[in-house]
Amino acid sequence: QVQLVESGGGLVQAGGSLRLSCAASGRTFSNYAMGWFRQAPGKERDFVAAHSWSVGSTAYADSVKGRFTISGDNTKNTVYLQMNSLKPEDTAVYYCAARSGPYYVRQATAYNYWGQGTQVTVSS
């Protein structure tokens, strides 16, 4: 079992930055692929970014590429999502997810474990 707890959300003006954190407990997240997803009101949960620690590969949604960065600290069992140049359309609840096995995927249904989510609101 893996427990995930997100933090770091909040209200920020367009052009600003936030860093989300996802603390994992239960098992070391280096044995999992980790992803970030987001869900705006009335919309589906969309892929944002993912990283495979064992393979060393990373993927981003086109909408965030060049603005968001996923990273992790194995010593703290924590994965981060640095979000820069935020836009109002980035407003959503952001979820951290873990998937058993070394490879990430972009489909939310493939992830076994989820955090509770953290709200990010970007004002114009």
Side-chain angles (χ1 to χ4, degrees):
Q1 282 288 344
V2 175
Q3 293 80 41
L4 304 173
V5 179
E6 302 100 333
S7 61
L11 174 63
V12 64
Q13 289 188 333
S17 298
L18 284 173
R19 189 178 78 158
L20 306 183
S21 299
C22 174
S25 61
R27 293 187 179 181
T28 176
F29 72 76
S30 61
N31 296 326
Y32 294 80
M34 301 295 294
W36 284 96
F37 291 78
R38 65 187 183 186
Q39 188 167 19
K43 296 189 177 181
E44 295 184 349
R45 191 167 295 188
D46 291 332
F47 171 78
V48 175
H51 184 74
S52 170
W53 309 111
S54 58
V55 177
S57 60
T58 302
Y60 296 94
D62 287 343
S63 59
V64 307
K65 199 173 295 183
R67 301 188 297 122
F68 291 11
T69 304
I70 187 171
S71 63
D73 186 338
N74 284 345
T75 64
K76 297 181 179 180
N77 242 19
T78 299
V79 63
Y80 304 99
L81 184 69
Q82 178 66 44
M83 305 185 295
N84 299 328
S85 301
L86 283 161
K87 305 175 181 179
E89 51 263 44
D90 294 318
T91 295
V93 177
Y94 282 71
Y95 295 91
C96 173
R99 179 175 185 269
S100 302
Y103 301 106
Y104 64 77
V105 295
R106 297 173 182 249
Q107 291 75 32
T109 54
Y111 287 77
N112 310 95
Y113 306 100
W114 291 86
Q116 81 287 354
T118 185
Q119 177 70 46
V120 172
T121 303
V122 184
S123 62
S124 57

